[in-house]
Amino acid sequence: MAKLRFGIVGAGGIAHAHARALRGLGDMAELVSACDAIPAAAEKFAQEFGIATYGGEDALQRMLARQDIDAVSLATPSGLHYAQAGQAMRAGKHVLTEKPMAITLEQADEMIAAQAETGKTLGCVFQQRFHPAAVIVKQAIDDGRFGRILHANAYLKWHRTQEYYDAGGWRGTWRMDGGGSLMNQSVHYIDLMQWLAGGVAAVKGYTGTINHRIETEDVGVAAVRLSSGGFGAIEGMTNNLANTYDRVEVYGTDGMAVIEGGQLVTYFTRAEEIRPTAENAKPSRNLAPQVVEDFRAKHPGWRTGHPAVFAAYIEAVLAGKEPPVGGREGRKAVQIILSIYRSARENREVAIG
Ligand SMILES: NC(=O)c1ccc[n+]([C@@H]2O[C@H](COP(=O)([O-])OP(=O)(O)OC[C@H]3O[C@@H](n4cnc5c(N)ncnc54)[C@H](O)[C@@H]3O)[C@@H](O)[C@H]2O)c1
C-alpha cells in the first residue's frame, strides 16, 4: 500500500500531536524524522519517538536533503510557516502546515503560488472541521436543510497566562504569532464559522490588549456581514479566568446548530423536526444527540483531531487531489482576522474581497 513518509519541522508542543497522529495511521504514514532550531529540543524528540532528528540553525535544510522524506509538517511558530513551506516545496516535499498557514495575505499567496510552481501539495491543519459535529452541520447546510443562512457566530473565551506568552518568546508577537487571541486561538472557530456559513463579506472590529503584557491583542470582537446576506459576530479573548468556552453557531431559515467545545449541543431543522408552532417557537426536540448517534453508527472508526487531518491530507496527496483544507481554504480565516485588525486600526468597515 502506498504511504507518505514525513519529517516534522519544529519539535515543540504541537509536534507531539503530529508524531502521535502519524504513528497512529498504520500503513499510510511513516514518521521518518524531525528537526528543530534548538539542538536540545531535536535530541529530546529523537529519544521520545526513536527517530533520527536534526538540530541547529540549518536543521531544516539538512532534513530536507533526505530522499526518504516525501512530506513535511510544519509545527513551528506561525511567522515561519511561509518561508519554510516555500523551502520545503522547492526541495521537492509536500507540505502540511499548522494554523494559521501564514500571518499575511502576501505570504499565503506566495505559498499558494509555490504549490502551483512546484506541483507539490499544500495542506493546512484545521482539525475542528473533522469533528462529527462540524461534518454533520456542513452536510446539512450543503444539502439545503438549513435554508438561507441568516446568522453565524464564533466565540472563544479561553485562559492564557502571562507565562504562556513569555515562554518560547514568539507568542503574542506580531512578527511570529501574527496576532493574538484571534490569530492564534480563535482562528479555528473563525474558520469553522466561515466554512459553515458560506463566507464572510465584511467586518467591523475592535481589538485590545487589556490583561497581558504582549504586543498583540488578548481580546478581539467584530460585527460580521456574511456572504449569504446574513449577519453575525466574532469574539475571541484569552482573558477568561478559566479555559472554558468555544462556540460556533449557525442559524438558517430552516435549521440551526450550536457547536460548543467540539460537541454538537443543539441542532434542529424544519425538515427533520416537527415545525415549531406560532405560539411556541421552541423546537419540541433537540435532535443533536440523535444526529450524532446516527453519524457515529454510519461512520465507525471516524477520525478526529490531528489524525483526521493527516489521514485526509495523505489520501489527497496519494490520489493527486487538492486536500480538504488546501492553501485557498487556509487563507480564508487569515483574511478575516487581518481584516478585523485593519478595521480596528482604521475604525471602519473592511470588505473581504
Ligand atoms: N492545531 C492546533 O490545535 C494547534 C495547537 C497548538 C499550536 N498550533 C500551531 O503550531 C505551531 C507551533 O506551536 P507550538 O505551540 O507547538 O509552539 P512551540 O513553541 O511549543 O514549538 C515550536 C518549535 O519550533 C522550533 N523552531 C523555532 N524556529 C525554528 C526553525 N527555524 N526551524 C526549526 N524549528 C524551529 C522551536 O524551537 C520550538 O521547539 C504554531 O503555528 C501554532 O499556531 C496549532
Side-chain angles (χ1 to χ4, degrees), residues 9-14 36-38 75-78 80-81 84 98-100 125 127 170-171 188 306:
V9 188
I14 206 64
D36 199 290
I38 299 174
T76 44
S78 309
L80 296 175
H81 296 169
Q84 293 179 332
E98 264 301 343
K99 51 48 61 168
V125 176
Q127 74 268 25
W170 67 272
R171 296 192 176 91
H188 285 294
H306 280 81

Side-chain angles (χ1 to χ4, degrees), residues 3-145:
K3 69 174 172 185
L4 221 57
R5 300 165 299 177
F6 275 82
I8 300 174
V9 188
I14 206 64
H16 291 78
H18 289 208
R20 283 194 300 270
L22 287 166
R23 282 275 159 89
L25 290 179
D27 288 346
M28 72 193 301
E30 185 183 337
L31 171 61
V32 175
S33 185
C35 69
D36 199 290
I38 299 174
E43 184 50 37
K44 193 161 166 268
F45 207 77
Q47 281 169 16
E48 218 173 319
F49 292 98
I51 51 172
T53 63
Y54 300 81
E57 285 305 320
D58 62 346
L60 173 58
Q61 198 186 330
R62 285 187 286 131
M63 188 176 84
L64 289 175
R66 285 182 73 135
Q67 297 303 308
D68 60 348
I69 291 177
D70 309 305
V72 298
S73 65
L74 302 182
T76 44
S78 309
L80 296 175
H81 296 169
Y82 143 77
Q84 293 179 332
Q87 189 181 347
M89 284 191 271
R90 292 193 178 93
K93 315 299 186 196
H94 302 287
V95 173
L96 176 61
T97 175
E98 264 301 343
K99 51 48 61 168
M101 68 179 285
I103 58 174
T104 70
L105 290 185
E106 292 73 23
Q107 290 181 353
D109 289 340
E110 286 191 28
M111 288 163 82
I112 293 165
Q115 161 169 23
E117 173 198 318
T118 59
K120 293 292 146 187
T121 303
L122 175 65
C124 305
V125 176
F126 270 138
Q127 74 268 25
Q128 298 293 336
R129 286 200 190 190
F130 293 86
H131 200 283
V135 177
I136 289 165
V137 175
K138 177 67 175 164
Q139 192 64 58
I141 291 171
D142 286 353
D143 290 350
R145 276 180 279 141

Side-chain angles (χ1 to χ4, degrees), residues 6 39 52 60 79 94 125 144 148 153 213 231 251 293 349:
F6 275 82
L60 173 58
H94 302 287
V125 176
R148 194 158 51 84
N153 300 325
R213 289 182 306 281
F231 290 82
Y251 302 88
E293 197 179 307
E349 177 183 284

